[in-house]
Amino acid sequence: DDDAVGKHTAEALAAMSSTAPRLNLHEQDDLYQQELKCTRHGNLTACEAWQRLLHKVCPEQPDGADAQHDSPSSAWACHDLAQLYSLGIGEFNEPQRAAKLYQRACSNKHFRACYNLAMMYVLVLAPIVGVTGHTLEQHATDSCSLVVVVTCRYG
């Protein structure tokens, strides 16, 4: 699974460097290190540091704010923040906050965020917020339309 984390982080770093970066090179390296410590070892201090770095690229928005004002390059950070809030490590166990962040990233064409949002609705949020089949289908469709995924063809 180390390869998956490394590949994901490499994609995130590429997205940062392809646009006006909000993190300097030292922060980019620190981001990678804190992500590994948080996700692999459950280190709460690393999770908090990872959160602070991600918020520089995907800042908090008040409820009702328009996610369309996010830049597409911030989608990876919003996705990673959503993952952090769905990990359940320490204070980072906020599925509804994670869903809002996945929605922001999905709105900016981050296909994994669309997929993860659909899965959150199925596994976590449906009983809490009464999600309709149409909502789930829309997020799954968004995910599938952004990338060719074999499982989408059979869903």
Side-chain angles (χ1 to χ4, degrees):
D1 210 21
D2 291 351
D3 290 339
V5 171
K7 181 177 185 261
H8 169 70
T9 303
E11 290 170 359
L13 292 174
M16 278 191 294
S17 60
S18 67
T19 63
R22 295 185 189 179
L23 298 179
N24 63 41
L25 289 176
H26 174 73
E27 290 171 323
Q28 290 177 23
D29 183 53
D30 194 33
L31 178 83
Y32 173 71
Q33 296 302 319
Q34 300 307 328
E35 178 184 12
L36 295 178
K37 290 175 188 174
C38 175
T39 58
R40 290 190 186 154
H41 306 292
N43 182 315
L44 186 56
T45 303
C47 292
E48 291 166 350
W50 187 33
Q51 175 198 36
R52 281 190 302 276
L53 289 165
L54 290 170
H55 272 301
K56 289 183 105 176
V57 183
C58 179
E60 289 286 338
Q61 289 185 326
D63 286 342
D66 186 5
Q68 297 301 329
H69 294 294
D70 286 337
S71 72
S73 63
S74 69
W76 68 269
C78 293
H79 172 267
D80 284 4
L81 270 172
Q83 285 190 307
L84 177 61
Y85 287 117
S86 63
L87 286 176
I89 299 172
E91 66 193 59
F92 301 105
N93 187 12
E94 300 181 52
Q96 291 177 321
R97 190 173 188 183
K100 287 179 184 179
L101 288 160
Y102 278 137
Q103 179 62 57
R104 283 177 63 185
C106 181
S107 295
N108 280 293
K109 311 281 188 251
H110 192 290
F111 74 89
R112 285 188 301 228
C114 298
Y115 175 82
N116 289 345
L117 181 60
M119 291 302 99
M120 277 196 79
Y121 278 133
V122 168
L123 302 173
V124 180
L125 296 174
I128 297 171
V129 296
V131 174
T132 66
H134 174 73
T135 303
L136 172 60
E137 182 179 350
Q138 183 58 51
H139 292 304
T141 300
D142 289 346
S143 175
C144 294
S145 69
L146 295 171
V147 67
V148 177
V149 179
V150 173
T151 56
C152 294
R153 296 182 195 141
Y154 304 104

